[in-house]
């Protein structure tokens, strides 16, 4: 297939491009600069600029672009950047797709399990409503921005992503160096649930969404059994053969991270009901499998 991808230079996008090209697919990368290579198309999400002609012949689109949630302290300006980078980008993409004479058959649009807010110890699947707070509001607006695509009859799946376990990127990538130095430990009391997924399973799940014609709407991209922060910490120490005696108290996290600390300390026990029901098989279903793979 010819597949267009936004956010192709990020952790997920880079791995997805590599996977698709390895299997012979043609990838069109949407970039926010002048194209420098074949297969690149310029777009400007903030100005709502994307020429539909650049997507001609694409059978599928994967939309992953968005500012990193944990990359900076949550000032008012950066919170606006987190929201705008997702909502405006989705609107620009929706306008281009709905203007095409022959649109793609599927859009896989990024989202996050932040949609559900703090779920405590309650197992939460795609039937749950949106939570309360900044991230649920962002995820709701993010998904709503794709409504014109759905109205146009294009199959649209929302990949609600959990914590991706990877060595060189994302939130987990920031943890590995500390654990290797023996400075790893739990956050707060460690009782909060972390809904994880290995990088390999995340890429496989995205491709499953592209290929499964009866999957649309929200789909949780998380492993089947979330673990607590305390459990994840113990497994990290075991796999890396390092002590995990350090603890980051909740007040220290709040002082260091500001508002974002509430989400770090919050609990999300999210399960991938729709992925499992559609026949998807995880390579790394357990946290120890995912960490060893990373």
């Amino acid at each position: 297939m010819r597949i267009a991808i936004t956010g192709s230079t990020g952790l997920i996008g880079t791995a997805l491009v590599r996977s698709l090209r390895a299997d012979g697919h043609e990838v069109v990368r949407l970039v926010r600069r002048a194209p420098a290579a074949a297969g690149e198309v310029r777009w400007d999400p903030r100005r709502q600029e994307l020429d539909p002609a650049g997507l001609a012949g694409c059978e599928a689109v994967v939309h992953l672009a968005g500012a990193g949630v944990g990359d900076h302290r949550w000032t008012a300006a950066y919170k606006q950047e987190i929201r705008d980078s997702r909502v405006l980008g989705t609107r620009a993409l929706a306008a281009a797709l709905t203007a095409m004479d022959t649109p793609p058959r599927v859009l896989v649009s990024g989202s996050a399990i932040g949609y559900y807010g703090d779920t405590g110890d309650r197992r939460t699947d795609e039937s749950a409503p949106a939570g309360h707070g900044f991230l649920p509001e962002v995820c709701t607006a993010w998904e709503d921005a794709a409504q014109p695509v759905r109205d146009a009859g294009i199959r649209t799946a929302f990949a609600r992503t959990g914590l991706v376990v990877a060595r060189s990127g994302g939130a987990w990538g920031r943890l590995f160096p500390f654990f290797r130095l023996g400075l790893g430990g739990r956050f707060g009391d460690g009782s909060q649930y972390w809904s994880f997924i290995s990088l390999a399973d995340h890429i496989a799940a995205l491709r499953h969404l592209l290929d499964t014609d009866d999957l649309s709407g929200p789909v949780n991209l998380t492993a089947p059994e979330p673990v607590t922060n305390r459990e994840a910490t113990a497994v990290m120490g075991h796999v890396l053969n390092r002590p995990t005696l350090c603890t980051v108290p909740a007040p220290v996290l709040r002082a260091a991270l500001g508002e974002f600390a509430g989400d770090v300390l919050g609990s999300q026990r999210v399960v991938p009901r729709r992925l499992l029901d559609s026949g998807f098989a995880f390579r790394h279903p357990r946290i120890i499998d995912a960490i060893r793979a990373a």
Side-chain angles (χ1 to χ4, degrees):
M1 291 192 294
R2 178 177 167 90
I3 303 170
I5 301 179
T6 76
S8 63
T9 60
L11 171 68
I12 304 302
T14 299
L16 180 61
V17 169
R18 185 186 307 117
S19 172
L20 290 170
R21 285 178 171 165
D23 286 342
H25 297 290
E26 179 185 357
V27 175
V28 176
R29 298 173 57 240
L30 273 62
V31 297
R32 291 177 294 171
R33 49 165 173 75
E40 292 186 348
V41 172
R42 187 181 183 279
W43 76 320
D44 189 332
R46 191 168 293 279
R47 295 185 178 182
Q48 300 290 283
E49 295 176 355
L50 173 57
D51 185 352
L55 302 176
C58 289
E59 298 178 59
V61 177
V62 182
H63 177 38
L64 302 172
V69 169
D71 289 357
H72 300 279
R73 192 178 180 88
W74 280 8
T75 62
Y78 195 66
K79 286 171 68 175
Q80 191 65 44
E81 174 63 20
I82 289 172
R83 188 183 192 281
D84 286 351
S85 65
R86 287 161 172 76
V87 175
L88 296 181
T90 307
R91 286 178 184 168
L93 194 57
L97 296 181
T98 55
M100 295 175 66
D101 292 333
T102 306
R105 61 177 180 80
V106 57
L107 167 65
V108 175
S109 190
S111 187
I113 61 171
Y115 176 92
Y116 305 108
D118 191 332
T119 69
D121 61 0
R122 183 180 72 255
R123 291 175 67 87
T124 301
D125 64 22
E126 293 89 349
S127 65
H132 302 283
F134 173 64
L135 289 183
E137 291 171 2
V138 168
C139 290
T140 299
W142 192 4
E143 294 183 11
D144 287 349
Q147 189 59 44
V149 182
R150 307 180 80 179
D151 292 342
I154 301 170
R155 180 170 69 88
T156 304
F158 299 106
R160 290 182 179 168
T161 300
L163 289 168
V164 178
V165 183
R167 183 178 62 186
S168 58
W172 218 286
R174 297 187 182 96
L175 297 178
F176 272 110
F178 292 100
F179 276 84
R180 286 196 190 96
L181 292 171
L183 300 176
R186 67 180 188 269
F187 293 165
D189 65 9
S191 64
Q192 67 273 30
Y193 275 91
W194 280 12
S195 297
F196 68 93
I197 185 169
S198 74
L199 179 59
D201 278 335
H202 193 285
I203 299 307
L206 288 175
R207 296 194 57 172
H208 183 74
L209 293 182
L210 287 173
D211 295 336
T212 307
D213 291 336
D214 58 353
L215 265 180
S216 62
V219 182
N220 294 334
L221 269 59
T222 60
E225 292 297 333
V227 296
T228 64
N229 170 253
R230 184 184 300 111
E231 292 168 324
T233 296
V235 175
M236 285 279 281
H238 171 72
V239 171
L240 296 174
N241 194 28
R242 293 291 187 273
T244 57
L245 302 178
C246 298
T247 299
V248 185
V252 173
L253 274 174
R254 293 189 182 98
L257 302 179
E259 184 181 349
F260 181 46
D263 290 272
V264 173
L265 295 166
S267 182
Q268 291 198 300
R269 194 178 185 183
V270 177
V271 294
R273 178 180 61 83
R274 298 197 66 212
L275 262 186
L276 293 172
D277 288 351
S278 68
F280 182 79
F282 285 86
R283 290 176 57 188
H284 309 122
R286 303 178 304 162
I287 185 63
I288 193 168
D289 304 323
I291 291 174
R292 281 176 173 161

